[in-house]
Amino acid sequence: MSINRREFVKGAVATAVATAVCASIGFSNSAYALDLNHEFSAYNTNTPDLIVNGNQGWGITQVKVRIPGASTVKIATKSRPIVNGGSLGTSLVIGKSRISNHEISVPNGHVLTGIKISADGKLYDVALNTAPFPAGLEVGSIVNGGDTDLPSGSFAKAADDEYITGITLKDTSGATSPTHLGLKVQKLLRKTSIANQNLVARVRDDLIFSQCLKIHVSSSNGDDANDGLLQSTPVKTLNRAKEICQLNTSELGFVILLKGGDTFKNNDNPMTSAILTDRLQAVKKEKFAFTWDLDKHLLITTYNNDNLAVLGNGGYVKDNQAASCIGVDANCKKTVVFENLHFTKWQIYPIYLYSYRPDLDNTLTVQDCLFTENGTYYFPDETTIVNNLPVFGGSIIQVRRSDDVIIANNIMKDNHIAPYHETNTGGNVYDRYHAFYIADSLRTQVFDNTIMNTSGSPVKIRTNSRDVRVSNNGFYYAGTSTRTNIVQQGWLRFSGDYNIEKRPQDCTVTGNVFYAPFHTDDFNNNQTSGAIVSAMMSTSKDYMTQVHGWMGNNVSGNDYQEQFE
């Protein structure tokens, strides 16, 4: 039996910590610690380049860098203004920005389209990720900004019809290696004509949803006495929208349009289903703000503008309120899409999928959403105990016994469970709130997501999963807790099983960027700061085995950034 584990603490500390970790999981051979710094060298990259990739639909408005020892750091920019009613919305900082020695912002209302960076007269190599401007978003002419008098050399630029979504600051020959790169990104908002009933933001003109019944919902100016069929007659609540669906089962499916910028809570009128109740009631997690248990197509998105619709401020389990946001169960076998939504302050599960096994050519997609401040860390007054532990959810998006799920282009930031005392390990544990928990799933795809400051290994692939693909995601300050003698630390928990046939098979984790260190007080949760050990491993209690090449699994081509504050 072999074990793979990656260790970021160097020298004597690395040996001591690794020896303690091995001993805690039942391995006493301290010589193993000597090999930790070399794990995955055959399968993964580990470059000094700084890679910060954002998401489509989010433009860069500020760049921060740290180049230690440089006396003069300069950043020149090219940007384009958003014009004719478009604007910039929600802002986030991604990457590593807590310690910087230079920053530049583009003019208000602009997004970055070109960049040039130098230190002490040396120009750095820069590579870009770009995306086309959204259809209907109008932009003005290019404006030069930032610092002047940089060394001669070309800008790294987006194409004329594109903007920058991510930057790779390369380790450049003859120049001091950079250690930090942070980007402020903002949501691109188009102008939408309310008078034009045919112009509904983000509803595709495709064969399925163009034939579905559209239901408009606005918490700010809706009325549940309305029919919801027009933007001028929206209903007010998710409950009423679901009731309209239940009363129109002859329809092919439904498009539930939430007014962009409105907030929807639904704490005191929670939903559930027979299947979700049977699955979750014993652990007191069965109440949701919205459940989908109809065998009909469903799209939940926004109208009126490109602002995210906020699904937020869930209730407490102890108060019998909706502590999770959206649940989907086995009754649905049709196409489901959730997009342009902001999930915030849900104690248990923002999204929980259970036994969604769709008909051929149908999928469930979560895309272009934002997840912030979810988990029990943000519900300090909870008192419910389940199985001798405080109640908590295991992930932001949980995919259980569900197939053909696509999770793409989402942003997750500041999501945590509250620390609790674990008797077996003798200390507080923070590590079991994963970004993606995938178990008994076929063909699930997770790509182009940005995850920041999340407790627990961000990716967890478990029993009976087949052909799960995790690619091109950016993980910043996400991974391990301060504990070293637990089985949930690291970027990936790839769980095995004593029954060989039940172990995950033919799964791929590739093209991702994982940054260390992990939790810091810069990201609003100092209780999980100070991580010293990270691991990529396969674990089931005391069982561990190599991931790459095992049972057809491929863990390769990932970039592990060993950057310390």
Side-chain angles (χ1 to χ4, degrees):
M1 180 182 300
S2 61
I3 310 166
N4 275 336
R5 183 177 294 270
R6 188 171 181 83
E7 170 60 61
F8 280 125
V9 183
K10 299 178 180 179
V13 176
T15 302
V17 172
T19 301
V21 171
C22 292
S24 71
I25 56 176
F27 293 88
S28 59
N29 185 1
S30 60
Y32 173 71
L34 301 177
D35 297 325
L36 287 176
N37 286 326
H38 306 292
E39 293 293 344
F40 292 98
S41 60
Y43 308 125
N44 299 285
T45 60
N46 180 21
T47 73
D49 298 344
L50 294 181
I51 305 170
V52 180
N53 290 331
N55 299 62
Q56 291 191 33
W58 295 74
I60 297 171
T61 58
Q62 184 184 68
V63 179
K64 292 184 176 184
V65 298
R66 176 173 172 79
I67 301 175
S71 58
T72 304
V73 179
K74 292 187 176 183
I75 303 173
T77 64
K78 293 181 180 293
S79 64
R80 300 182 72 173
I82 308 299
V83 299
N84 293 337
S87 61
L88 294 170
T90 303
S91 66
L92 292 166
V93 176
I94 64 175
K96 292 171 59 63
S97 62
R98 186 164 72 93
I99 301 175
S100 62
N101 54 3
H102 196 53
E103 64 183 66
I104 287 292
S105 297
V106 299
N108 288 339
H110 287 227
V111 293
L112 189 70
T113 59
I115 192 167
K116 193 175 180 181
I117 300 174
S118 72
D120 294 338
K122 179 67 176 180
L123 196 65
Y124 282 81
D125 296 329
V126 177
L128 304 176
N129 278 20
T130 62
F133 283 107
L137 183 77
E138 298 185 44
V139 295
S141 300
I142 294 173
V143 174
N144 293 321
D147 299 316
T148 58
D149 300 326
L150 275 77
S152 61
S154 299
F155 273 82
K157 296 187 296 184
D160 287 344
D161 60 346
E162 295 186 339
Y163 62 101
I164 299 172
T165 60
I167 295 175
T168 297
L169 180 56
K170 293 181 173 291
D171 188 49
T172 301
S173 176
T176 304
S177 295
T179 59
H180 291 69
L181 172 63
L183 307 176
K184 181 180 179 180
V185 298
Q186 290 188 251
K187 181 73 172 173
L188 302 179
L189 305 178
R190 297 172 293 185
K191 179 181 179 181
T192 304
S193 172
I194 300 175
N196 184 353
Q197 298 294 333
N198 294 319
L199 186 57
V200 179
R202 304 182 69 79
V203 177
R204 302 168 207 76
D205 183 19
D206 60 27
L207 185 60
I208 294 176
F209 292 120
S210 63
Q211 303 176 62
C212 293
L213 180 67
K214 294 180 177 63
I215 305 167
H216 299 78
V217 191
S218 171
S219 63
S220 61
N221 63 357
D223 188 328
D224 279 349
N226 291 337
D227 59 17
L229 299 182
L230 301 174
Q231 294 187 31
S232 58
T233 59
V235 299
K236 188 176 184 67
T237 65
L238 294 171
N239 291 76
R240 178 56 180 157
K242 175 71 177 292
E243 185 178 58
I244 293 173
C245 297
Q246 293 169 322
L247 293 172
N248 290 275
T249 54
S250 61
E251 296 285 343
L252 178 68
F254 304 93
V255 176
I256 297 179
L257 296 161
L258 307 181
K259 186 177 179 181
D262 278 10
T263 297
F264 302 85
K265 297 181 180 179
N266 203 28
N267 293 350
D268 298 322
N269 296 288
M271 302 183 195
T272 190
S273 69
I275 292 174
L276 292 173
T277 296
D278 183 64
R279 169 70 182 176
L280 297 172
Q281 188 175 43
V283 290
K284 303 180 181 180
K285 303 177 185 179
E286 78 279 10
K287 291 181 170 58
F288 293 81
F290 183 87
T291 57
W292 193 245
D293 54 350
L294 303 179
D295 193 21
K296 298 290 179 180
H297 300 292
L298 174 68
L299 166 62
I300 299 183
T301 185
T302 53
Y303 76 97
N304 187 53
N305 55 64
D306 273 352
N307 279 296
L308 301 168
V310 180
L311 300 174
N313 296 312
Y316 274 84
V317 173
K318 68 182 179 64
D319 295 328
N320 209 33
Q321 295 177 320
S324 297
C325 189
I326 291 179
V328 179
D329 73 16
N331 287 310
C332 181
K333 300 184 182 299
K334 300 298 189 292
T335 292
V336 176
V337 178
F338 304 118
E339 66 176 14
N340 214 41
L341 308 174
H342 181 186
F343 297 81
T344 185
K345 296 291 179 63
W346 295 97
Q347 184 182 6
I348 306 300
Y349 300 113
I351 296 179
Y352 184 85
L353 313 177
Y354 184 68
S355 295
Y356 171 79
R357 308 282 197 193
D359 295 336
L360 185 65
D361 296 328
N362 289 270
T363 59
L364 188 150
T365 301
V366 181
Q367 63 185 17
D368 302 325
C369 293
L370 174 64
F371 299 80
T372 63
E373 296 188 346
N374 298 290
T376 52
Y377 180 81
Y378 303 98
F379 291 82
D381 297 327
E382 184 58 74
T383 57
T384 303
I385 301 297
V386 176
N387 297 328
N388 298 318
L389 291 175
V391 65
F392 67 91
S395 61
I396 302 168
I397 299 179
Q398 186 137 156
V399 181
R400 285 266 188 176
R401 301 181 187 175
S402 297
D403 302 334
D404 300 298
V405 175
I406 299 170
I407 304 170
N409 204 50
N410 303 285
I411 296 176
M412 299 176 173
K413 183 174 185 287
D414 299 335
N415 298 278
H416 301 284
I417 64 168
Y420 63 87
H421 186 82
E422 187 173 72
T423 302
N424 290 340
T425 56
N428 285 335
V429 176
Y430 312 91
D431 65 318
R432 297 183 182 178
Y433 201 57
H434 310 275
F436 313 108
Y437 188 122
I438 302 165
D440 194 1
S441 174
L442 304 179
R443 300 177 297 276
T444 285
Q445 300 178 60
V446 179
F447 59 91
D448 294 339
N449 300 283
T450 299
I451 298 88
M452 298 185 66
N453 199 29
T454 298
S455 298
S457 50
V459 180
K460 185 172 184 176
I461 304 175
R462 294 210 60 189
T463 303
N464 281 330
S465 291
R466 303 289 186 270
D467 194 21
V468 172
R469 303 184 182 190
V470 181
S471 61
N472 301 322
N473 302 283
F475 299 93
Y476 309 100
Y477 302 95
T480 183
S481 77
T482 57
R483 298 303 305 280
T484 59
N485 58 337
I486 49 178
V487 297
Q488 301 268 6
Q489 72 268 35
W491 302 296
L492 169 66
R493 189 186 180 203
F494 207 91
S495 300
D497 195 281
Y498 290 104
N499 183 338
I500 294 177
E501 296 302 317
K502 290 185 177 181
R503 297 172 190 167
Q505 298 180 27
D506 301 314
C507 298
T508 301
V509 180
T510 187
N512 303 284
V513 178
F514 299 97
Y515 267 97
F518 301 90
H519 307 294
T520 74
D521 54 12
D522 184 48
F523 295 103
N524 307 321
N525 188 7
N526 57 15
Q527 296 211 43
T528 52
S529 64
I532 57 172
V533 175
S534 180
M536 176 168 283
M537 63 186 183
S538 170
T539 309
S540 179
K541 302 291 186 183
D542 57 347
Y543 180 85
M544 303 179 70
T545 190
Q546 182 177 344
V547 177
H548 184 85
W550 162 65
M551 306 290 284
N553 297 297
N554 174 20
V555 180
S556 65
N558 300 293
D559 193 342
Y560 301 97
Q561 296 280 339
E562 302 181 20
Q563 308 298 329
F564 288 90
E565 298 293 343

PDB file of all heavy atoms in Angstrom, residues 158-176:
ATOM      1  N   ALA A 158      -6.083  41.952 -24.372  1.00  0.00           N
ATOM      2  CA  ALA A 158      -7.200  41.154 -24.864  1.00  0.00           C
ATOM      3  C   ALA A 158      -7.498  41.576 -26.303  1.00  0.00           C
ATOM      4  O   ALA A 158      -7.136  42.674 -26.741  1.00  0.00           O
ATOM      5  CB  ALA A 158      -8.428  41.367 -23.982  1.00  0.00           C
ATOM      6  N   ALA A 159      -8.189  40.731 -27.041  1.00  0.00           N
ATOM      7  CA  ALA A 159      -8.633  41.080 -28.386  1.00  0.00           C
ATOM      8  C   ALA A 159      -9.635  42.232 -28.309  1.00  0.00           C
ATOM      9  O   ALA A 159     -10.170  42.553 -27.242  1.00  0.00           O
ATOM     10  CB  ALA A 159      -9.259  39.865 -29.063  1.00  0.00           C
ATOM     11  N   ASP A 160      -9.915  42.859 -29.451  1.00  0.00           N
ATOM     12  CA  ASP A 160     -10.752  44.064 -29.476  1.00  0.00           C
ATOM     13  C   ASP A 160     -12.128  43.847 -28.860  1.00  0.00           C
ATOM     14  O   ASP A 160     -12.704  44.758 -28.260  1.00  0.00           O
ATOM     15  CB  ASP A 160     -10.918  44.559 -30.909  1.00  0.00           C
ATOM     16  CG  ASP A 160      -9.635  45.198 -31.436  1.00  0.00           C
ATOM     17  OD1 ASP A 160      -8.757  45.527 -30.613  1.00  0.00           O
ATOM     18  OD2 ASP A 160      -9.522  45.357 -32.664  1.00  0.00           O
ATOM     19  N   ASP A 161     -12.677  42.658 -29.002  1.00  0.00           N
ATOM     20  CA  ASP A 161     -14.031  42.392 -28.499  1.00  0.00           C
ATOM     21  C   ASP A 161     -14.018  41.595 -27.198  1.00  0.00           C
ATOM     22  O   ASP A 161     -15.027  40.998 -26.826  1.00  0.00           O
ATOM     23  CB  ASP A 161     -14.856  41.646 -29.548  1.00  0.00           C
ATOM     24  CG  ASP A 161     -14.238  40.303 -29.936  1.00  0.00           C
ATOM     25  OD1 ASP A 161     -13.049  40.072 -29.598  1.00  0.00           O
ATOM     26  OD2 ASP A 161     -14.931  39.493 -30.576  1.00  0.00           O
ATOM     27  N   GLU A 162     -12.876  41.600 -26.491  1.00  0.00           N
ATOM     28  CA  GLU A 162     -12.749  40.796 -25.275  1.00  0.00           C
ATOM     29  C   GLU A 162     -12.228  41.643 -24.116  1.00  0.00           C
ATOM     30  O   GLU A 162     -11.709  42.750 -24.301  1.00  0.00           O
ATOM     31  CB  GLU A 162     -11.815  39.606 -25.523  1.00  0.00           C
ATOM     32  CG  GLU A 162     -12.362  38.607 -26.541  1.00  0.00           C
ATOM     33  CD  GLU A 162     -11.488  37.374 -26.646  1.00  0.00           C
ATOM     34  OE1 GLU A 162     -10.303  37.430 -26.266  1.00  0.00           O
ATOM     35  OE2 GLU A 162     -12.003  36.339 -27.118  1.00  0.00           O
ATOM     36  N   TYR A 163     -12.348  41.089 -22.915  1.00  0.00           N
ATOM     37  CA  TYR A 163     -11.827  41.704 -21.698  1.00  0.00           C
ATOM     38  C   TYR A 163     -11.040  40.643 -20.938  1.00  0.00           C
ATOM     39  O   TYR A 163     -11.155  39.437 -21.204  1.00  0.00           O
ATOM     40  CB  TYR A 163     -12.957  42.268 -20.833  1.00  0.00           C
ATOM     41  CG  TYR A 163     -13.938  41.226 -20.342  1.00  0.00           C
ATOM     42  CD1 TYR A 163     -13.872  40.728 -19.041  1.00  0.00           C
ATOM     43  CD2 TYR A 163     -14.926  40.721 -21.183  1.00  0.00           C
ATOM     44  CE1 TYR A 163     -14.762  39.766 -18.590  1.00  0.00           C
ATOM     45  CE2 TYR A 163     -15.822  39.755 -20.752  1.00  0.00           C
ATOM     46  CZ  TYR A 163     -15.733  39.287 -19.459  1.00  0.00           C
ATOM     47  OH  TYR A 163     -16.601  38.313 -19.023  1.00  0.00           O
ATOM     48  N   ILE A 164     -10.240  41.068 -19.955  1.00  0.00           N
ATOM     49  CA  ILE A 164      -9.383  40.144 -19.219  1.00  0.00           C
ATOM     50  C   ILE A 164     -10.146  39.564 -18.040  1.00  0.00           C
ATOM     51  O   ILE A 164     -10.765  40.289 -17.267  1.00  0.00           O
ATOM     52  CB  ILE A 164      -8.114  40.865 -18.729  1.00  0.00           C
ATOM     53  CG1 ILE A 164      -7.310  41.407 -19.920  1.00  0.00           C
ATOM     54  CG2 ILE A 164      -7.236  39.926 -17.900  1.00  0.00           C
ATOM     55  CD1 ILE A 164      -6.144  42.290 -19.517  1.00  0.00           C
ATOM     56  N   THR A 165     -10.084  38.242 -17.884  1.00  0.00           N
ATOM     57  CA  THR A 165     -10.702  37.577 -16.734  1.00  0.00           C
ATOM     58  C   THR A 165      -9.670  36.988 -15.776  1.00  0.00           C
ATOM     59  O   THR A 165      -9.997  36.691 -14.626  1.00  0.00           O
ATOM     60  CB  THR A 165     -11.641  36.449 -17.198  1.00  0.00           C
ATOM     61  OG1 THR A 165     -10.885  35.474 -17.939  1.00  0.00           O
ATOM     62  CG2 THR A 165     -12.762  36.987 -18.071  1.00  0.00           C
ATOM     63  N   GLY A 166      -8.442  36.778 -16.232  1.00  0.00           N
ATOM     64  CA  GLY A 166      -7.420  36.192 -15.369  1.00  0.00           C
ATOM     65  C   GLY A 166      -6.031  36.572 -15.843  1.00  0.00           C
ATOM     66  O   GLY A 166      -5.813  36.893 -17.015  1.00  0.00           O
ATOM     67  N   ILE A 167      -5.079  36.545 -14.905  1.00  0.00           N
ATOM     68  CA  ILE A 167      -3.709  36.955 -15.206  1.00  0.00           C
ATOM     69  C   ILE A 167      -2.740  35.912 -14.659  1.00  0.00           C
ATOM     70  O   ILE A 167      -2.886  35.436 -13.532  1.00  0.00           O
ATOM     71  CB  ILE A 167      -3.396  38.325 -14.576  1.00  0.00           C
ATOM     72  CG1 ILE A 167      -4.271  39.420 -15.214  1.00  0.00           C
ATOM     73  CG2 ILE A 167      -1.917  38.670 -14.708  1.00  0.00           C
ATOM     74  CD1 ILE A 167      -4.108  40.778 -14.560  1.00  0.00           C
ATOM     75  N   THR A 168      -1.733  35.580 -15.447  1.00  0.00           N
ATOM     76  CA  THR A 168      -0.593  34.800 -14.977  1.00  0.00           C
ATOM     77  C   THR A 168       0.636  35.699 -15.009  1.00  0.00           C
ATOM     78  O   THR A 168       1.051  36.160 -16.080  1.00  0.00           O
ATOM     79  CB  THR A 168      -0.352  33.566 -15.853  1.00  0.00           C
ATOM     80  OG1 THR A 168      -1.483  32.692 -15.771  1.00  0.00           O
ATOM     81  CG2 THR A 168       0.889  32.805 -15.376  1.00  0.00           C
ATOM     82  N   LEU A 169       1.166  35.999 -13.838  1.00  0.00           N
ATOM     83  CA  LEU A 169       2.390  36.793 -13.721  1.00  0.00           C
ATOM     84  C   LEU A 169       3.551  35.815 -13.673  1.00  0.00           C
ATOM     85  O   LEU A 169       3.738  35.096 -12.688  1.00  0.00           O
ATOM     86  CB  LEU A 169       2.336  37.669 -12.474  1.00  0.00           C
ATOM     87  CG  LEU A 169       3.541  38.577 -12.202  1.00  0.00           C
ATOM     88  CD1 LEU A 169       3.826  39.490 -13.390  1.00  0.00           C
ATOM     89  CD2 LEU A 169       3.304  39.403 -10.944  1.00  0.00           C
ATOM     90  N   LYS A 170       4.304  35.781 -14.738  1.00  0.00           N
ATOM     91  CA  LYS A 170       5.315  34.743 -14.896  1.00  0.00           C
ATOM     92  C   LYS A 170       6.605  35.093 -14.154  1.00  0.00           C
ATOM     93  O   LYS A 170       6.966  36.261 -14.004  1.00  0.00           O
ATOM     94  CB  LYS A 170       5.602  34.512 -16.374  1.00  0.00           C
ATOM     95  CG  LYS A 170       4.431  33.906 -17.135  1.00  0.00           C
ATOM     96  CD  LYS A 170       4.796  33.676 -18.581  1.00  0.00           C
ATOM     97  CE  LYS A 170       3.693  32.924 -19.296  1.00  0.00           C
ATOM     98  NZ  LYS A 170       3.591  31.530 -18.825  1.00  0.00           N
ATOM     99  N   ASP A 171       7.266  34.047 -13.691  1.00  0.00           N
ATOM    100  CA  ASP A 171       8.596  34.202 -13.121  1.00  0.00           C
ATOM    101  C   ASP A 171       9.546  34.503 -14.276  1.00  0.00           C
ATOM    102  O   ASP A 171       9.758  33.667 -15.153  1.00  0.00           O
ATOM    103  CB  ASP A 171       8.999  32.920 -12.396  1.00  0.00           C
ATOM    104  CG  ASP A 171      10.282  33.088 -11.619  1.00  0.00           C
ATOM    105  OD1 ASP A 171      10.389  34.072 -10.875  1.00  0.00           O
ATOM    106  OD2 ASP A 171      11.168  32.230 -11.748  1.00  0.00           O
ATOM    107  N   THR A 172      10.092  35.719 -14.308  1.00  0.00           N
ATOM    108  CA  THR A 172      10.807  36.221 -15.470  1.00  0.00           C
ATOM    109  C   THR A 172      12.310  36.219 -15.217  1.00  0.00           C
ATOM    110  O   THR A 172      12.776  36.676 -14.167  1.00  0.00           O
ATOM    111  CB  THR A 172      10.330  37.650 -15.801  1.00  0.00           C
ATOM    112  OG1 THR A 172       8.920  37.606 -16.043  1.00  0.00           O
ATOM    113  CG2 THR A 172      11.043  38.202 -17.017  1.00  0.00           C
ATOM    114  N   SER A 173      13.049  35.725 -16.158  1.00  0.00           N
ATOM    115  CA  SER A 173      14.501  35.647 -16.030  1.00  0.00           C
ATOM    116  C   SER A 173      15.094  37.031 -15.780  1.00  0.00           C
ATOM    117  O   SER A 173      14.771  38.006 -16.460  1.00  0.00           O
ATOM    118  CB  SER A 173      15.091  35.062 -17.316  1.00  0.00           C
ATOM    119  OG  SER A 173      16.496  35.048 -17.262  1.00  0.00           O
ATOM    120  N   GLY A 174      15.942  37.131 -14.758  1.00  0.00           N
ATOM    121  CA  GLY A 174      16.598  38.386 -14.436  1.00  0.00           C
ATOM    122  C   GLY A 174      15.797  39.314 -13.556  1.00  0.00           C
ATOM    123  O   GLY A 174      16.257  40.409 -13.229  1.00  0.00           O
ATOM    124  N   ALA A 175      14.586  38.898 -13.183  1.00  0.00           N
ATOM    125  CA  ALA A 175      13.729  39.743 -12.344  1.00  0.00           C
ATOM    126  C   ALA A 175      13.412  39.016 -11.044  1.00  0.00           C
ATOM    127  O   ALA A 175      13.385  37.781 -10.992  1.00  0.00           O
ATOM    128  CB  ALA A 175      12.437  40.081 -13.072  1.00  0.00           C
ATOM    129  N   THR A 176      13.167  39.794  -9.999  1.00  0.00           N
ATOM    130  CA  THR A 176      12.802  39.207  -8.713  1.00  0.00           C
ATOM    131  C   THR A 176      11.482  38.457  -8.827  1.00  0.00           C
ATOM    132  O   THR A 176      10.527  38.946  -9.435  1.00  0.00           O
ATOM    133  CB  THR A 176      12.660  40.311  -7.649  1.00  0.00           C
ATOM    134  OG1 THR A 176      13.883  41.048  -7.598  1.00  0.00           O
ATOM    135  CG2 THR A 176      12.358  39.710  -6.281  1.00  0.00           C
TER     136      THR A 176
END
